[in-house]
Amino acid sequence: MSDPADLLEEAVPHEEQEQVTHKLIGEIVEAIDDRDAARVRELFEDLHPADAADAVEQLVYDQQVELAEIAPEVFGGEMLAELQEDTRADIVNELDPSHLAEAIQDLDSDDMTLVVEDLSPEMREQVLAEVPAADRTRLESSLSFEEDTAGRLMQREFVAAPTFWSVGNTIDHMRKAGEDLPDLFFEVFVVDEGFKPIGSVPVSKLMRFPRDTKLADIMETPHAIIRPDRDQEEVAYLFEKYHLISAPVVDDDGRLSGMLTIDDIVDVIQEENKEDMLALAGVNEASSADTVWSSVKARAPWLLVNLGTAVLASGVIALFEGAIAQLVALAVLMPIVASMGGNAGTQSLAVAVRAIASRDLTVSNAARVIWREFAAGALNGVIFAVVMGAVAGLWFQNVTLAWVIGLAMIINLACAGLAGILIPLGLKRAGADPAVASSVFVTTVTDVVGFFVFLGLGAMVLL
Amino acid sequence: MSDPADLLEEAVPHEEQEQVTHKLIGEIVEAIDDRDAARVRELFEDLHPADAADAVEQLVYDQQVELAEIAPEVFGGEMLAELQEDTRADIVNELDPSHLAEAIQDLDSDDMTLVVEDLSPEMREQVLAEVPAADRTRLESSLSFEEDTAGRLMQREFVAAPTFWSVGNTIDHMRKAGEDLPDLFFEVFVVDEGFKPIGSVPVSKLMRFPRDTKLADIMETPHAIIRPDRDQEEVAYLFEKYHLISAPVVDDDGRLSGMLTIDDIVDVIQEENKEDMLALAGVNEASSADTVWSSVKARAPWLLVNLGTAVLASGVIALFEGAIAQLVALAVLMPIVASMGGNAGTQSLAVAVRAIASRDLTVSNAARVIWREFAAGALNGVIFAVVMGAVAGLWFQNVTLAWVIGLAMIINLACAGLAGILIPLGLKRAGADPAVASSVFVTTVTDVVGFFVFLGLGAMVLL
């Protein structure tokens, strides 16, 4: 063991400064350009796999591919597991199957699955052919579950003990098992004769009791027993809610077959949050390594939908061409009503999507929340009706115009509040993701209502 | 210990169905309305603290207060710790200080801090006066750190061991310490003579080695040693990146003074994600218990800012009143250009905010990402210039108008891409939160540019 002072030296930089500096990236890029494999290896040598993954994510796709070509050793098993999903999905297919088979050898089965699941069918077959039989069986079993389910996330390494074991038996068993144990684990699962999980003992608790204590006397009821086909988002919710660190996964017969751990769940939480945020903004997916073309493809579909709704809103305006020609002030002011509605609708929508995701919006309070959103919209409508009425009245020296824009503002903001909550709830009830597409629908409502009410009232009253 | 079959009975519902049903909430509300304390206690009795917290969050504020009045026992320490921050902040001030002092007694110091930090200064003083001296010292020390820092989040209970201890020494120490140990812990921190953390041994690893193994021989270098003034968002980033389960916190002299655990960090991650999403939509804060009035207050400021920018955009339109009066088609089509720009800008913005939050957007790739956003915007501009040009040309039977809207679309979408990335980067550089206010700035750009270019070109070419 090295000197403790040196260890601290090594450890402190993690806190005080980034490992992956702009300078380091520059040097890596230079080494890749020079196709200098030795230099590349040297630069990556001392990096933690998580830092190495970060560095690779800073490169553009072509550089990543070239890196894989000249120095495949950089893509070790742990580092591949640390990469973000989209980067990993791209790069694994550029690596040699034999290299991959060897790289994943020391990983726990959940991380192995992460690396293998994004391979093309042919590559996957080649890699599976080269890993040891035991790993292959585990991998094939993991891959038999749908993507984004507990079955894909779980690891097959865990510690199980029968109820009649004592603390001493359990510790002795673990000492003997040694390498067969998971890299890290936090609970011993207690199983009955049918290998069904009926309790768990946190490892830290195991330490606290005398060796002759029976597990049955100190075990806790599991807060969640998870089936492998469960959606990862729901699993993440259980982990968050009950502050779980690990949880047992059972097969169809209720037998313990795997373990989920919080470190994998944190990745799921981040992934789901990212998806929600991008979905609300109308982006299908995004990564910093995206090219111009992949960005265009991820965004054009929603822009097309938006164009459709914008044309619809224009159609509403066209109904009032005559009124606008007579009173151009209507054209000048109409975007204000629409813009305020769009903004208020987006506010309601973000609150609703967030509340649905965190299970705060339920049958029990839906009616109250719908009413609140409507009332908050209407009340803000009143506030901004007064402000905007005053502005419009002074600007165009026209009191009637002030009343028209004020009334339109109230109606549009009340509709915005309603649309912002009802549209995601409707999508949810229809089994769709409440974040996807909802902002387009909401702004369609606020544009159409805004233009129609303002121009309609204007045409009725002012001409 | 009860029969294992019963345990499974109890455990399975957690998976298959919600504990906090619509029916339960209805019964709770009824019992509160009847001021039937016995019934309320009965309904909450069997709930896990996390479920009890969920149930309380479904109530409106007045019901929460009434519940605290008739059955304060429902608000136990663990349940208070499980409540969402805003709900907890409201309700703790409605409870009796003596009840609070007793309720937090069995909590770890991090959870104690959570409960106490939201109290009014007088309440806080009263509670502190009633807790045991040791707890008071810990609490006062935690509260001496800024909100949202590692110092507030950390717990002061942890297990430390000197380098020369063996696995056996450590286990014996823990058996003896018993109740003084943290409720849950995952690592033993190894300290030098100066009580500086120089390594850590996961508890599961401790189990794997013979009793005479020296800690110094199996300890790992800590990936992060955290100072208590560190912002919680940065701490969460370290946990995510290195897949940490716990981390040591040190004081100014580098001495081990606390421990952070992943379960608290998961809450931080959710909190920060929620803030980003709401900030992007222009909402200051939100909870499902919000009243109409608190929702109005959280949203009106951003609506006011939006009104300002909408009036600015109208000012641009007003410059072209003459052109609109001559060709009303300009008024009909202008919102399309603005809306498409706003949409494309929001897309860029969401991608940028997300990339900044996950540290994927750095000095090393900023130039490339800026270029990509500009080019993706321009390219989508070309696509929708063609589509919209065709639509406008056919609709108004005017080829020149088709060219004008096409060109305006390209320019506005390119500007939208640039604004979507440059505005959050600029806010970040200025030390502000890149999510807050950025969508208002982006739509200001796209509205102003959209109206100005389309109407300006139209006035030049068509009249």
Side-chain angles (χ1 to χ4, degrees):
Chain A
M1 200 70 212
S2 55
D3 179 38
D6 287 341
L7 269 176
L8 190 59
E9 267 317 294
E10 276 171 37
V12 167
H14 284 289
E15 190 212 345
E16 296 305 339
Q17 60 193 58
E18 279 288 332
Q19 289 294 292
V20 183
T21 57
H22 184 39
K23 183 168 157 280
L24 177 66
I25 302 290
E27 289 172 344
I28 291 173
V29 169
E30 208 184 294
I32 294 175
D33 285 348
D34 297 345
R35 301 188 66 84
D36 183 345
R39 176 76 181 136
V40 166
R41 273 192 291 268
E42 192 187 314
L43 289 168
F44 273 97
E45 202 167 45
D46 293 330
L47 291 182
H48 182 283
D51 288 313
D54 268 10
V56 167
E57 281 158 8
Q58 304 280 313
L59 305 174
V60 293
Y61 178 64
D62 292 344
Q63 291 167 336
Q64 292 171 350
V65 172
E66 212 166 325
L67 177 63
E69 231 177 81
I70 58 174
E73 323 79 79
V74 166
F75 296 86
E78 281 187 64
M79 186 272 217
L80 286 169
E82 293 283 354
L83 283 174
Q84 288 182 25
E85 204 179 334
D86 32 18
T87 312
R88 186 172 50 234
D90 286 341
I91 204 67
V92 283
N93 286 296
E94 302 296 329
L95 292 165
D96 179 58
S98 312
H99 167 75
L100 272 178
E102 209 193 297
I104 63 175
Q105 209 99 153
D106 294 326
L107 297 179
D108 276 339
S109 57
D110 53 339
D111 288 336
M112 256 188 218
T113 309
L114 277 184
V115 174
V116 176
E117 67 180 353
D118 294 317
L119 289 172
S120 67
E122 312 85 64
M123 282 279 288
R124 193 190 274 189
E125 215 168 288
Q126 289 178 51
V127 171
L128 284 177
E130 296 200 34
V131 296
D135 287 341
R136 189 180 321 132
T137 317
R138 287 175 179 184
L139 271 171
E140 278 169 348
S141 154
S142 289
L143 293 169
S144 71
F145 297 106
E146 296 278 321
E147 261 190 84
D148 300 340
T149 61
R152 279 285 176 98
L153 274 181
M154 74 182 180
Q155 60 182 89
R156 275 134 202 297
E157 301 82 10
F158 52 78
V159 181
T163 31
F164 56 82
W165 272 18
S166 67
V167 167
N169 293 147
T170 314
I171 296 181
D172 293 345
H173 164 75
M174 290 195 273
R175 290 229 174 93
K176 248 181 280 162
E179 283 307 299
D180 287 341
L181 294 180
D183 279 351
L184 261 184
F185 61 98
F186 314 105
E187 288 179 304
V188 171
F189 298 124
V190 181
V191 291
D192 67 8
E193 324 76 70
F195 217 68
K196 289 184 174 135
I198 55 169
S200 68
V201 182
V203 181
S204 57
K205 200 169 178 184
L206 214 53
M207 300 274 177
R208 220 180 277 173
F209 288 90
R211 283 182 62 88
D212 57 3
T213 315
K214 288 266 173 285
L215 293 187
D217 294 333
I218 55 171
M219 71 183 187
E220 297 160 12
T221 311
H223 289 307
I225 294 178
I226 291 166
R227 300 205 188 274
D229 53 3
R230 200 96 195 262
D231 186 89
Q232 63 177 13
E233 194 170 1
E234 291 169 42
V235 174
Y237 171 71
L238 290 175
F239 266 76
E240 274 175 68
K241 175 165 171 181
Y242 295 112
H243 287 141
L244 306 180
I245 304 294
S246 64
V249 182
V250 296
D251 63 18
D252 287 344
D253 303 321
R255 290 165 48 93
L256 181 60
S257 62
M259 169 172 83
L260 290 166
T261 52
I262 182 73
D263 51 324
D264 301 318
I265 299 297
V266 166
D267 292 340
V268 170
I269 292 174
Q270 287 297 52
E271 191 61 33
E272 300 286 344
N273 276 319
K274 177 180 167 185
E275 275 178 28
D276 272 0
M277 188 154 161
L278 292 179
L280 261 190
V283 181
N284 289 337
E285 54 178 18
S287 112
S288 60
D290 277 349
T291 58
V292 172
W293 188 234
S294 56
S295 295
V296 168
K297 276 193 296 185
R299 302 179 197 181
W302 289 113
L303 287 173
L304 184 62
V305 176
N306 186 62
L307 185 69
T309 73
V311 170
L312 181 69
S314 288
V316 174
I317 300 173
L319 297 175
F320 301 96
E321 275 189 34
I324 292 172
Q326 284 182 56
L327 187 65
V328 180
L330 291 175
V332 172
L333 294 176
M334 67 184 184
I336 296 179
V337 179
S339 159
M340 291 296 281
N343 216 296
T346 306
Q347 291 177 330
S348 286
L349 180 60
V351 171
V353 166
R354 195 65 224 185
I356 291 172
S358 62
R359 311 282 207 281
D360 288 340
L361 184 54
T362 63
V363 197
S364 305
N365 61 8
R368 185 177 63 77
V369 174
I370 292 169
W371 159 251
R372 183 193 69 199
E373 292 301 318
F374 170 76
L379 217 57
N380 266 323
V382 172
I383 295 172
F384 292 101
V386 173
V387 178
M388 192 55 220
V391 172
L394 290 170
W395 186 354
F396 293 96
Q397 294 293 315
N398 185 334
V399 176
T400 319
L401 186 62
W403 278 99
V404 166
I405 197 166
L407 199 54
M409 189 78 85
I410 297 172
I411 295 173
N412 203 25
L413 264 63
C415 288
L418 269 186
I421 180 91
L422 291 179
I423 287 170
L425 278 179
L427 285 169
K428 166 102 180 144
R429 173 159 293 192
D433 183 333
V436 172
S438 47
S439 66
V440 172
F441 290 137
V442 170
T443 47
T444 306
V445 171
T446 55
D447 279 355
V448 168
V449 171
F451 290 136
F452 188 81
V453 172
F454 176 64
L455 296 175
L457 280 174
M460 261 167 44
V461 181
L462 288 161
L463 305 179
Chain B
M1 198 71 211
S2 55
D3 179 39
D6 287 341
L7 269 176
L8 189 59
E9 264 320 291
E10 276 170 37
V12 166
H14 284 289
E15 191 212 343
E16 296 305 339
Q17 61 193 58
E18 278 290 330
Q19 288 294 292
V20 183
T21 57
H22 183 40
K23 182 166 158 284
L24 177 66
I25 301 290
E27 289 171 344
I28 291 173
V29 169
E30 208 183 294
I32 294 175
D33 285 349
D34 298 345
R35 301 188 66 84
D36 183 345
R39 176 75 180 137
V40 165
R41 272 193 291 269
E42 191 187 316
L43 290 168
F44 274 97
E45 204 168 45
D46 293 331
L47 291 183
H48 182 283
D51 287 314
D54 267 11
V56 168
E57 280 158 9
Q58 304 279 313
L59 306 175
V60 293
Y61 178 66
D62 292 344
Q63 291 166 337
Q64 292 171 352
V65 172
E66 212 165 324
L67 177 62
E69 231 177 82
I70 58 174
E73 323 80 79
V74 166
F75 295 86
E78 281 187 65
M79 185 270 218
L80 286 169
E82 294 282 355
L83 283 174
Q84 289 183 24
E85 205 179 333
D86 33 17
T87 312
R88 185 173 51 233
D90 286 341
I91 204 67
V92 283
N93 286 296
E94 302 296 330
L95 292 164
D96 178 57
S98 313
H99 167 74
L100 271 179
E102 209 194 297
I104 63 175
Q105 210 99 154
D106 294 327
L107 296 180
D108 276 339
S109 56
D110 54 338
D111 287 337
M112 257 189 219
T113 310
L114 276 184
V115 174
V116 176
E117 67 179 354
D118 293 318
L119 289 172
S120 67
E122 313 84 65
M123 283 280 287
R124 194 191 275 188
E125 217 169 286
Q126 290 178 51
V127 171
L128 283 177
E130 298 199 33
V131 296
D135 287 343
R136 191 180 319 132
T137 318
R138 287 175 179 185
L139 270 172
E140 279 169 348
S141 155
S142 288
L143 293 169
S144 71
F145 297 106
E146 296 277 321
E147 262 190 81
D148 299 340
T149 60
R152 280 285 177 98
L153 275 180
M154 74 182 180
Q155 61 182 88
R156 274 131 202 299
E157 301 82 9
F158 52 80
V159 182
T163 31
F164 55 83
W165 273 16
S166 66
V167 167
N169 294 147
T170 313
I171 295 180
D172 293 345
H173 164 75
M174 290 194 274
R175 289 231 173 91
K176 249 180 282 162
E179 283 308 299
D180 288 341
L181 294 180
D183 280 350
L184 262 184
F185 61 98
F186 315 105
E187 287 178 305
V188 171
F189 298 124
V190 181
V191 292
D192 67 9
E193 322 79 68
F195 216 69
K196 291 185 172 134
I198 54 170
S200 69
V201 182
V203 181
S204 57
K205 201 170 176 181
L206 214 53
M207 300 273 178
R208 220 179 278 175
F209 288 89
R211 283 182 62 88
D212 57 3
T213 315
K214 287 267 171 284
L215 293 187
D217 295 332
I218 55 170
M219 71 183 186
E220 297 161 13
T221 310
H223 290 308
I225 294 178
I226 292 166
R227 300 205 189 275
D229 53 1
R230 201 94 195 264
D231 186 271
Q232 63 178 13
E233 194 170 359
E234 292 168 42
V235 174
Y237 171 71
L238 289 175
F239 266 76
E240 274 175 68
K241 176 166 171 180
Y242 295 112
H243 287 143
L244 305 181
I245 303 296
S246 64
V249 182
V250 295
D251 64 17
D252 287 343
D253 303 322
R255 289 164 50 91
L256 182 61
S257 63
M259 169 171 83
L260 290 166
T261 52
I262 183 74
D263 51 325
D264 301 316
I265 299 297
V266 167
D267 292 340
V268 170
I269 292 174
Q270 288 296 52
E271 192 59 32
E272 300 286 345
N273 277 319
K274 176 180 168 186
E275 275 177 28
D276 272 359
M277 189 156 162
L278 292 179
L280 261 190
V283 181
N284 289 336
E285 52 177 19
S287 112
S288 60
D290 277 348
T291 58
V292 172
W293 187 235
S294 57
S295 295
V296 168
K297 277 194 297 185
R299 303 179 197 180
W302 288 114
L303 288 173
L304 184 62
V305 176
N306 186 62
L307 185 68
T309 72
V311 170
L312 181 69
S314 288
V316 174
I317 300 173
L319 296 176
F320 301 97
E321 277 189 31
I324 292 172
Q326 283 182 56
L327 187 64
V328 180
L330 291 175
V332 173
L333 294 176
M334 67 184 183
I336 296 178
V337 179
S339 160
M340 291 295 282
N343 217 297
T346 306
Q347 290 178 330
S348 287
L349 181 59
V351 171
V353 166
R354 195 64 224 186
I356 291 172
S358 61
R359 311 282 207 281
D360 288 341
L361 183 55
T362 64
V363 198
S364 306
N365 60 8
R368 184 176 63 76
V369 174
I370 293 169
W371 158 251
R372 181 192 70 200
E373 292 302 318
F374 170 77
L379 217 57
N380 266 325
V382 171
I383 295 172
F384 293 102
V386 173
V387 178
M388 193 57 221
V391 172
L394 291 170
W395 187 353
F396 294 95
Q397 296 291 316
N398 184 334
V399 177
T400 319
L401 186 62
W403 278 100
V404 166
I405 198 165
L407 199 55
M409 189 78 85
I410 297 173
I411 294 173
N412 202 24
L413 264 61
C415 288
L418 269 186
I421 179 92
L422 291 179
I423 287 171
L425 278 179
L427 285 168
K428 165 105 179 140
R429 172 161 295 193
D433 184 332
V436 171
S438 47
S439 67
V440 172
F441 290 137
V442 170
T443 47
T444 305
V445 171
T446 53
D447 279 356
V448 168
V449 171
F451 291 135
F452 187 82
V453 172
F454 176 63
L455 296 175
L457 281 173
M460 262 167 44
V461 181
L462 289 162
L463 303 179

